[in-house]
Amino acid sequence: MKYREMEKDALAAELSGLNAKYVSLREAGFKLDLSRGKPGADQLELSMPMFDALGSSDAMLAENGFDCRNYGLLEGIPEARRLMADILEADPEEVLVGGNSSLNLMHDCVSIGFIHGYPGGNGGWHKADKVKFICPAPGYDRHFSIAEHFGFELVAVPMLSGGPDMDAVEQLVRDPAVKGVWCVPKYSNPSGVTFSDETVRRMAGLSPAAGDFRIFWDNAYAVHDLYPEKPDVLLNLPDELKKTGKQDMALIFTSTAKITFPGGGISAMCASPANISWLKKHYSYQTICFDKINMLRHAKFLPDLAAVKEHMKKHAAILAPKFAAVLNTLESELGGLGVASWNSPNGGYFISLDVMDGCAKRVVALCKDAGVTLTGAGATFPYGIDRHDANIRLAPTFATPDEVEKAAELLCLCVRIAAAEKELAGR
Ligand code: PLP
């Protein structure tokens, strides 16, 4: 029965039962964590054979004969460009393979915009009185903090079931101060949403006032399907941009962080020839080249998209039961009470839970006191402010399945306590 339909006495009795259970669980001294969006150790094991792909007696030559041990090839070795292009469904000629972090590439691209601007604009964004970035929320906190770090104003737009609210985005880009929009188009962090075809088409058709406005398209979860037999399908942005003739409007990113090793993988950026030559020009002052030995190792371990997909199936086999443990617990403990809603993603690393307005901080605090660490309430919103105080990001990947289940049970108890408290306070 929904909490708001319960008689006051019945709800008070429910709350006291929940509190008694909470006290006994708190005494159990749990130390559980649903805050870390990183692979578990068993997932990392999957990529250990990569270290056998290149030995000291192997030629360290790329397929074009380039000696990977030496300086050169700022854009990366051909086989790594092809691998990352396959993951992004892009043309290898438009792909630059970077170092160990795509976030680093994104930061560099913002920094290049800030200092020098982009083709189509009037020079560095630092010259403008105000620079704004559109931040679909809930979203990836590190995207928002890059823009905040550069002093930009963060403009939140709601994430809907098919992606960002495009009416709002189309309206906002009429402002010349708006220089960018952050997007995680597939299995979005944290909402799990994959942008609909219509959203991708409307993104490709944007008519920004700023000639150097860029879509920061972070396709971090491009191949991270939880159920390989029913993957979400994302419309290809470069193809759509070619149709609208606005190829320069997007910078596309990905990495193997959650394919091989976070912090030890390779990253990539895909962009129009004009953008790539602009970025290479500025990068050439920053580095001579990225780590080609790691690129070669990756390309030998994952020679083509088929190999990537096989590898990702192994990740999915480890992750799907953990997601199922959380989702089943949410359904059995909270279903029908009218106190929370959540997504059931087909991929990615997160489950997004919305509790009753005004309850997210209380839930996170209750969990913390009982030994379950969650991502801070509000973390997925610009400036860390969730106006509804409702959203909580759950990351079930790092803990063991048993820990995930225990943590989810305690979380649900806390959601019910916070909801019952709120409901009773309003009577
Ligand atoms: N982009 C998104 C959407 C992420 O969720 C993450 C990590 O969680 C990253 C980028 C970080 O990627 P990298 O390790 O390649 O910097």
Side-chain angles (χ1 to χ4, degrees):
M1 186 188 220
K2 289 196 166 55
Y3 274 13
R4 72 170 170 277
E5 289 164 7
M6 283 171 83
E7 295 293 338
K8 190 172 174 186
D9 287 351
L11 192 55
E14 163 87 357
L15 179 58
S16 97
L18 294 170
N19 277 330
K21 197 167 170 197
Y22 177 78
V23 169
S24 74
L25 282 178
R26 195 174 52 190
E27 276 162 13
F30 287 138
K31 226 173 164 305
L32 305 167
D33 196 332
L34 285 187
S35 73
R36 287 179 283 178
K38 51 187 196 177
D42 43 0
Q43 288 178 266
L44 303 176
E45 284 300 320
L46 299 174
S47 298
M48 289 306 287
M50 189 166 70
F51 293 110
D52 302 326
L54 262 190
S56 61
S57 54
D58 288 322
M60 294 282 176
L61 302 181
E63 65 185 25
N64 60 356
F66 203 95
D67 190 338
C68 293
R69 297 170 302 182
N70 221 329
Y71 279 141
L73 291 189
L74 178 56
E75 66 279 9
I77 61 174
E79 52 269 61
R81 294 175 81 192
R82 201 169 51 238
L83 169 66
M84 300 313 270
D86 280 353
I87 290 173
L88 287 172
E89 296 177 38
D91 177 353
E93 288 303 308
E94 295 182 359
V95 169
L96 180 146
V97 182
N100 70 328
S101 157
S102 60
L103 201 66
N104 198 162
L105 292 178
M106 292 175 236
H107 180 279
D108 284 341
C109 287
V110 170
S111 176
I112 288 169
F114 186 72
I115 302 168
H116 307 286
Y118 276 96
N122 306 316
W125 302 340
H126 67 94
K127 290 191 275 181
D129 289 340
K130 185 165 262 200
V131 174
K132 300 180 189 172
F133 257 59
I134 301 173
C135 302
Y140 182 35
D141 52 344
R142 289 180 187 273
H143 284 163
F144 303 161
S145 46
I146 290 177
E148 194 179 356
H149 184 55
F150 279 87
F152 304 163
E153 184 181 318
L154 312 185
V155 187
V157 302
M159 268 299 271
L160 308 177
S161 59
D165 178 346
M166 288 308 293
D167 290 343
V169 173
E170 284 163 355
Q171 186 68 32
L172 284 164
V173 299
R174 292 183 194 169
D175 176 353
V178 173
K179 298 290 192 183
V181 57
W182 290 111
C183 296
V184 183
K186 191 167 174 193
Y187 305 136
S188 200
N189 174 355
S191 65
V193 161
T194 295
F195 290 11
S196 67
D197 292 359
E198 190 200 337
T199 299
V200 178
R201 288 198 184 101
R202 286 175 76 175
M203 281 286 176
L206 284 177
S207 297
D212 53 357
F213 167 89
R214 292 294 181 270
I215 301 169
F216 285 71
W217 194 255
D218 178 5
N219 204 354
Y221 299 106
V223 289
H224 301 60
D225 309 309
L226 278 174
Y227 315 105
E229 65 292 349
K230 55 161 189 165
D232 285 3
V233 178
L234 175 70
L235 201 62
N236 186 268
L237 183 66
D239 288 349
E240 295 307 309
L241 288 166
K242 279 175 192 136
K243 289 183 201 160
T244 57
K246 300 182 181 185
Q247 293 97 313
D248 291 345
M249 198 164 60
L251 304 171
I252 299 172
F253 305 90
T254 197
S255 79
T256 67
K258 289 166 184 173
I259 299 175
T260 57
F261 300 113
I266 57 175
S267 61
M269 177 157 68
C270 161
S272 68
N275 280 329
I276 288 286
S277 75
W278 181 256
L279 292 166
K280 272 178 75 177
K281 177 179 143 190
H282 293 293
Y283 257 115
S284 69
Y285 295 97
Q286 191 173 323
T287 185
I288 303 171
C289 62
F290 295 100
D291 178 353
K292 293 187 297 301
I293 296 174
N294 203 23
M295 291 182 206
L296 187 61
R297 202 186 280 132
H298 273 76
K300 284 198 183 294
F301 181 55
L302 300 170
D304 52 30
L305 191 59
V308 174
K309 287 193 169 160
E310 275 312 302
H311 186 67
M312 294 313 289
K313 277 187 196 163
K314 296 179 194 159
H315 281 285
I318 294 172
L319 291 179
K322 296 185 185 184
F323 277 74
V326 176
L327 293 168
N328 292 339
T329 309
L330 290 173
E331 189 52 50
S332 66
E333 299 297 315
L334 303 179
L337 300 179
V339 296
S341 60
W342 55 90
N343 67 329
S344 208
N346 287 333
Y349 263 58
F350 303 101
I351 293 169
S352 183
L353 173 69
D354 281 313
V355 296
M356 284 172 77
D357 278 15
C359 289
K361 285 201 180 93
R362 173 76 177 138
V363 171
V364 172
L366 280 167
C367 281
K368 186 162 184 261
D369 274 355
V372 174
T373 306
L374 300 176
T375 308
T380 54
F381 288 78
Y383 306 112
I385 299 169
D386 172 6
R387 279 190 302 116
H388 295 281
D389 185 28
N391 188 255
I392 300 174
R393 184 183 86 167
L394 306 177
T397 60
F398 187 68
T400 65
D402 185 44
E403 288 169 342
V404 167
E405 198 169 326
K406 282 203 186 80
E409 276 167 16
L410 205 127
L411 162 72
C412 290
L413 182 65
C414 297
V415 171
R416 289 170 70 160
I417 291 173
E421 285 172 349
K422 180 174 177 192
E423 193 59 43
L424 281 169
R427 302 269 175 109

